[in-house]
Amino acid sequence: MPNNRDSWWSRPCGGREVLAIALPLFISTGTLSVMMFIDRMFLLWYSSDMLAAAMAGGMLYWTMICFPVGVAGYINTFVAQYFGAERPERIGAATWQGMWIGVYAAPLFLAAIPVAPYLFHWAGHDPQVIPHEIAYFQILCFGAPAAVIAAAQEALFTGRGVTRVVMVVDIAALLVNAVLDYIWIFGAWGFPEMGIQGAALATVVSGWFRVGVFAWLMHREPVRRAYSLATAWRVDRSLLRRILRYGGPNGFQFLVDAAGFAVMIMLVGRLGKVEMAATALAFNVNTLAFIPMLGVGIAASTLVGQQLTRGRPDLATRATWTALTFALAYTAVCGTFFLFTPDLFLLGHRAGADPQEFAQLRDVAVVLLRFVAAYCLFDAMQIIFAGAIKGAGDTWFVLLVSLVMSTIGVISCWLGLGLGLFWWWFVLTAWICALGLIFCLRFLRGPWRSMRVIDQVAKKSAPVKATN
């Protein structure tokens, strides 16, 4: 039977092409969700106080690093557009600028260590939880530069569609983290029992492990030669300004979302330890649906960037809808399981936890997973559509929407604090559904089709092939 080039599966930017890029990224970002799932599960086995502390400490850490990570991660769009424009010599320079952002931000990350006790005491959480929150956050700060540097390194590969390399590196980092988690949390194999400090240390070590492996891959031939990595390592002020111009709003959007979410988490902590731990448990399960979708969003962003610089906005549109099809199918399955078989996802947490303590958390978490099931399809929409328009350069719109919605969410939670935990989750659900619809409408309107983030020059005649 002849191959039908017009079928949904075989056509350009159809199912086969999108899946070839998206599936490794789906698995790659999925390793992060598995890493977080294992980390939180071990901490619950150790103590529910540790689980609650990891939720608050982790959110504050992400709030601190998300701006530089968002800027460095936006290198993906520059790499994708330079690759589509057949300008490989600029790909290495863009990657190095993102790595320098991580280096320059390192002193700021370390300066946050002595500030942590004041922040967590201000939040008014349970006195038994606060010391664990502080310790977790302070240790994570030593891995913050690695998170930024690795985001830029990863973009060198994802922006060109070479996503299997990233998948392998992230799987290796997951294995390192999982093994070190068990050893250092529980004190196995002769190591001291460190609890939540061991979990944080495992995250730091696995983060620097990723940086080291990516650095080795970057300096192998022919990648180093093909993308001028050995000669383009210096700071390029003009290119860096351009990256900050478009990537800055992306970083600020990450910061606005994270800050709003962190404040909301702090407010939940005021409701009590059970509410905080149950929320952490529900979010830990939610990562299995949410984080893999980030990989599909990166794939959509990559294909949009490549096709726009090739003069094919029609293919960029098709790639986005194809990516959305995969994302909705996966999240629909996840939402169904969250709704009808929630205990399936709680088995691992139950295995090592105190039965009486877990029973109380389980009853609340099952209800919270119904909220997750309600918003997960809209979560997929906002990830894919936001990724697509950001792949073109429409980052200011995404920032503005995030700023408005985060402000509304925080104010609503603050005013309704006396209404209890379910009001908080209702606000979160409404927030995510609104984002999905707004970014969908922006995508349909189409101003992103004429946007570009790279400097425009004459296109070279020789085609560029992705080099592993």
Side-chain angles (χ1 to χ4, degrees), residues 127-403:
Q128 293 180 326
V129 176
I130 290 176
H132 303 310
E133 293 174 332
I134 295 170
Y136 189 68
F137 173 82
Q138 288 179 328
I139 294 174
L140 288 179
C141 287
F142 291 99
V148 182
I149 294 170
Q153 292 173 313
E154 184 178 287
L156 171 66
F157 299 94
T158 59
R160 297 179 292 121
V162 184
T163 53
R164 292 185 181 181
V165 170
V166 177
M167 177 186 69
V168 173
V169 173
D170 286 342
I171 290 175
L174 165 65
L175 295 175
V176 170
N177 186 84
V179 172
L180 293 180
D181 256 344
Y182 183 79
I183 293 173
W184 289 340
I185 291 175
F186 300 105
W189 303 349
F191 283 87
E193 180 181 317
M194 292 188 283
I196 197 170
Q197 297 180 52
L201 187 59
T203 301
V204 171
V205 171
S206 63
W208 284 108
F209 170 82
R210 288 181 75 230
V211 171
V213 175
F214 276 130
W216 175 70
L217 291 170
M218 287 172 59
H219 288 84
R220 291 178 64 217
E221 298 291 354
V223 175
R224 181 175 62 178
R225 186 188 316 112
Y227 303 109
S228 306
L229 289 168
T231 57
W233 59 270
R234 295 177 178 82
V235 175
D236 185 329
R237 297 186 184 279
S238 175
L239 179 56
L240 184 58
R241 282 195 297 269
R242 199 169 188 88
I243 290 170
L244 291 173
R245 175 184 172 188
Y246 291 99
N250 188 58
F252 274 122
Q253 180 240 324
F254 281 18
L255 177 60
V256 167
D257 285 344
F261 197 67
V263 171
M264 292 169 71
I265 289 293
M266 294 296 185
L267 293 175
V268 170
R270 293 189 174 190
L271 298 175
K273 286 197 300 183
V274 172
E275 289 80 1
M276 185 69 166
T279 295
L281 185 57
F283 276 127
N284 199 33
V285 175
N286 183 36
T287 59
L288 298 177
F290 170 72
I291 293 183
M293 287 304 94
L294 297 177
V296 185
I298 295 171
S301 182
T302 297
L303 287 167
V304 167
Q306 290 181 357
Q307 295 301 335
L308 286 180
T309 49
R310 291 168 182 161
R312 296 300 305 269
D314 57 323
L315 292 183
T317 303
R318 180 186 294 173
T320 303
W321 287 113
T322 305
L324 181 66
T325 301
F326 287 124
L328 291 178
Y330 175 74
T331 50
V333 172
C334 289
T336 302
F337 278 107
F338 293 160
L339 190 60
F340 295 106
T341 58
D343 286 305
L344 179 66
F345 300 94
L346 304 177
L347 287 174
H349 299 83
R350 176 186 284 112
D354 177 80
Q356 185 175 358
E357 189 177 58
F358 183 80
Q360 190 177 13
L361 294 179
R362 180 265 173 200
D363 292 341
V364 180
V366 166
V367 178
L368 300 186
L369 286 176
R370 294 172 189 165
F371 285 94
V372 177
Y375 69 62
C376 63
L377 291 177
F378 291 92
D379 214 5
M381 288 174 57
Q382 68 99 1
I383 290 170
I384 301 303
F385 287 127
I389 63 177
K390 287 194 292 185
D394 197 6
T395 52
W396 283 101
F397 177 81
V398 178
L399 170 61
L400 178 61
V401 170
S402 297
L403 181 61

